[in-house]
Amino acid sequence: MAAAERLHVHLDGLEIPIDLEQLQVWSRRRPRLLDSQLMSGDELSKGELAVWLELMDGRSRLNLSRLLRLPLLRSRSFGEQLLTSWAGQRILVEVGGLLTDAQGRGSSAQLQESLRRLLEARGEVTVLDLLEDLPADDLHLQLDTLLAQAEQWRDQLRLQQRALRRLRRMELPDRQERPLAFSDAPEVQMQPLLLPVAHRDDPLPLELWRGRSTAAPAGPWVLLMPGLGGNSEQLGWLAAALADRGWPAVVLQHPGSDAGAMRGLLAGSQPPPGAETLPDRLADLEAVLAAEAHGPLPPLGDGVVLMGHSLGAMTALLASGPAPEPGLERRCREALRRLPITNLSRLLQCQMADLSLELRPPSSLRESPLRGVVVLNGFGSLLWPRWGLEKLSVPLLMVGGSLDLITPPVSEQLELFLPSSHPRSRLVVVDGGSHFSPVRISRRGEALFQLGEELVGVEPQRVQKLILRLSVEFLQGLSGPDLLPAQHRLQEGVGAYVLDAAAARHWQQDLSR
């Protein structure tokens, strides 16, 4: 089979042909040679490659070499699972549109075939390996298209930065609070439970957190759901702190989309979990509500508050809010014209359109009345683009982070929050918070993925103390006369903007100017 020999780089009307064999030789040089200009008499200085390299400074050449030698995939089994996944297919389509043959045809099918072949032969695939293996004499890299996409991504980042600047200049009352302390020995104990359920072969793992009293309190209990790839330990800190203050809590772990599923992906034994797990997540929620209402769980309170992070937040919204608005498939065609790097939640939302999922709200909410919903880094802009959460009849606390590029606060939280009509509903944006701020990694466990500071945001435990205090004030307001006022909250150096409906509308109007 013929393999690629030349790469034609298209940029601003120019076409630079590059010999891939020369590129391979150059990329293997020692760093000090990469960082210097090509010397007179150098074999590579005679080819077209020199034209391109001479346009770059030393640091750029060094970064290019690292990129070419960067392993795209390190494990055959993991790579095969990723390539066959819905998200993997979307990435291949986007990359295939940037890398074409001489006739301008995209190469997503060829990319997949080459990646599989290389994984089978080598187990690790670099960028240059892939370029050299593609079955075409000449490949064309559309850098103009890539730069146009990068400019769109930059525009989205600028919008997010501008939104934060506008939020910071809003005239909100300043309020400083001491954090609620996390007790090293809270007056609660965690009881691990296995709940038999009809829709799963194995029992459902739960963590039950109760206060000192065994009697059901007069207020509601809280059902917490972790996000995609999360487990019960990641939200256990919040469940313990709420139970310690009078709200019994159950943390629900969802097999198939939990940390075990992510370990299965890394081991190459199963594809990455995604939106296809939502029906099971809703069935899990239904089973826990029914178990609290009829046993075997003990009675925990008067009604329930659903609380979730990321995909757990989406589960809570689907359980308590309206059905997704018609036309999701059409909206996704528009949204996925460019890979949504600055809003990765849209991939999950659009996977729902492809799967045509049947999502039924739990009937048990009629027996265990819904008292409120707490959404941590939630999303749904493509599901409810017109009416948002207008039909949600209970108070809503929606928390986002200014650094969140997975569920950005303007598109995924503000737009959903604006139509909500309940006077106790609040939107919170944590200045410096990220998508992972609410997640706590157990000391006795290890994170599956090591995240850099730019993804973690400001020190997570300080953000978590702020989330705890605001959650407690929100829960207290469900049965008391006091409303959580719009404000700029400052706690341990972490700032948060608490917006009621009027303040949220003002923020949106300021952004539209």
Side-chain angles (χ1 to χ4, degrees):
M1 182 187 65
E5 297 178 358
R6 287 175 299 280
L7 177 68
H8 298 259
V9 179
H10 296 259
L11 177 62
D12 197 22
L14 299 176
E15 179 179 336
I16 306 174
I18 297 173
D19 184 284
L20 285 175
E21 184 177 353
Q22 287 187 346
L23 192 61
Q24 177 78 277
V25 171
W26 173 80
S27 70
R28 289 175 176 168
R29 290 188 166 187
R30 287 174 292 179
R32 67 178 183 84
L33 296 177
L34 293 168
D35 195 35
S36 61
Q37 297 288 337
L38 293 171
M39 304 297 293
S40 175
D42 191 318
E43 183 66 25
L44 295 181
S45 68
K46 303 173 185 178
E48 298 96 340
L49 177 62
V51 177
W52 192 23
L53 295 178
E54 290 294 341
L55 295 175
M56 307 169 71
D57 60 27
R59 181 176 293 275
S60 296
R61 287 195 296 274
L62 187 60
N63 288 336
L64 173 63
S65 174
R66 288 170 176 165
L67 174 65
L68 293 171
R69 292 181 283 110
L70 179 72
L72 292 171
L73 296 170
R74 293 179 178 273
S75 162
R76 186 178 110 189
S77 54
F78 168 77
E80 288 175 348
Q81 295 292 352
L82 186 63
L83 290 174
T84 57
S85 71
W86 188 90
Q89 293 292 321
R90 288 301 318 174
I91 293 171
L92 286 174
V93 168
E94 291 296 326
V95 175
L98 300 174
L99 198 62
T100 66
D101 61 17
Q103 288 72 44
R105 294 183 297 238
S107 55
S108 59
Q110 293 175 352
L111 281 170
Q112 185 174 36
E113 182 181 345
S114 289
L115 283 168
R116 282 180 168 169
R117 183 168 53 249
L118 290 168
L119 282 169
E120 182 73 27
R122 307 182 187 184
E124 180 176 288
V125 183
T126 69
V127 174
L128 200 53
D129 290 337
L130 179 60
L131 289 175
E132 291 180 323
D133 188 79
L134 287 170
D137 290 338
D138 293 88
L139 292 173
H140 293 256
L141 178 61
Q142 309 298 331
L143 273 188
D144 286 317
T145 304
L146 179 60
L147 290 175
Q149 290 188 1
E151 186 60 32
Q152 288 188 354
W153 298 334
R154 280 195 293 267
D155 286 344
Q156 291 300 314
L157 290 173
R158 292 188 193 111
L159 172 63
Q160 196 151 320
Q161 291 165 354
R162 182 167 65 94
L164 183 59
R165 288 195 300 270
R166 299 292 176 88
L167 190 57
R168 285 171 174 166
R169 77 183 192 188
M170 284 182 64
E171 294 182 359
L172 293 171
D174 287 319
R175 180 175 165 187
Q176 295 200 33
E177 292 286 349
R178 292 183 178 179
L180 298 175
F182 292 122
S183 173
D184 293 330
E187 296 292 336
V188 294
Q189 289 187 345
M190 188 273 286
Q191 180 182 357
L193 297 172
L194 293 174
L195 178 67
V197 293
H199 63 284
R200 292 186 182 274
D201 293 333
D202 297 319
L204 194 62
L206 307 176
E207 286 187 359
L208 172 60
W209 295 85
R210 301 181 70 183
R212 285 166 288 183
S213 173
T214 56
W221 61 287
V222 182
L223 177 56
L224 297 98
M225 292 162 285
L228 186 64
N231 55 26
S232 56
E233 290 180 355
Q234 294 181 357
L235 292 181
W237 68 269
L238 184 52
L242 292 177
D244 201 29
R245 289 162 176 84
W247 292 281
V250 173
V251 187
L252 171 55
Q253 187 162 320
H254 301 279
S257 60
D258 59 0
M262 298 305 293
R263 283 191 288 269
L265 166 65
L266 295 176
S269 60
Q270 64 184 77
E276 78 283 350
T277 64
L278 278 167
D280 277 343
R281 280 177 164 254
L282 286 168
D284 293 342
L285 190 156
E286 166 85 27
V288 175
L289 294 176
E292 192 275 337
H294 305 293
L297 290 182
L300 297 174
D302 180 18
V304 64
V305 173
L306 299 181
M307 179 180 288
H309 172 247
S310 192
L311 192 63
M314 167 62 70
T315 307
L317 290 176
L318 288 169
S320 56
E325 296 172 20
L328 177 59
E329 188 174 350
R330 171 182 51 79
R331 296 191 293 274
C332 283
R333 282 197 298 269
E334 177 67 26
L336 294 183
R337 285 183 179 177
R338 296 288 184 267
L339 197 65
I341 296 297
T342 56
N343 187 347
L344 291 175
S345 74
R346 292 197 162 186
L347 285 174
L348 276 174
Q349 295 177 67
C350 290
Q351 189 187 11
M352 294 171 63
D354 268 15
L355 296 173
S356 300
L357 298 176
E358 185 177 357
L359 303 171
R360 297 178 180 176
S363 59
S364 296
L365 283 176
R366 302 177 196 136
E367 303 175 62
S368 185
L370 183 65
R371 302 300 186 196
V373 180
V374 179
V375 170
L376 307 176
N377 305 94
F379 56 97
S381 62
L382 296 176
L383 303 186
W384 300 288
R386 184 177 180 186
W387 303 112
L389 299 175
E390 181 183 44
K391 295 184 180 179
L392 184 63
S393 60
V394 297
L396 168 70
L397 178 63
M398 184 170 272
V399 181
S402 67
L403 299 182
D404 192 346
L405 297 181
I406 297 176
T407 59
V410 174
S411 56
E412 293 303 330
Q413 286 131 41
L414 175 63
E415 299 299 328
L416 286 185
F417 176 82
L418 280 168
S420 62
S421 56
H422 201 286
R424 296 186 182 276
S425 292
R426 296 292 181 266
L427 171 65
V428 177
V429 180
V430 179
D431 196 343
S434 78
H435 190 75
F436 302 99
S437 292
V439 172
R440 183 171 294 186
I441 303 298
S442 169
R443 291 180 181 177
R444 53 192 172 88
E446 292 186 2
L448 291 176
F449 302 102
Q450 298 297 323
L451 302 174
E453 291 183 3
E454 66 278 4
L455 291 177
V456 173
V458 298
E459 210 281 317
Q461 287 209 17
R462 284 190 287 146
V463 176
Q464 290 164 13
K465 290 180 182 179
L466 181 57
I467 291 173
L468 171 62
R469 179 171 277 281
L470 291 172
S471 298
V472 166
E473 292 180 25
F474 174 76
L475 291 172
Q476 289 172 337
L478 296 180
S479 55
D482 296 332
L483 295 175
L484 183 61
Q487 61 188 271
H488 173 229
R489 175 69 65 88
L490 189 63
Q491 180 178 297
E492 288 190 310
V494 179
Y497 299 88
V498 181
L499 308 180
D500 58 15
R505 282 192 297 271
H506 178 75
W507 186 28
Q508 185 200 42
Q509 291 164 2
D510 198 16
L511 284 173
S512 62
R513 295 192 183 106

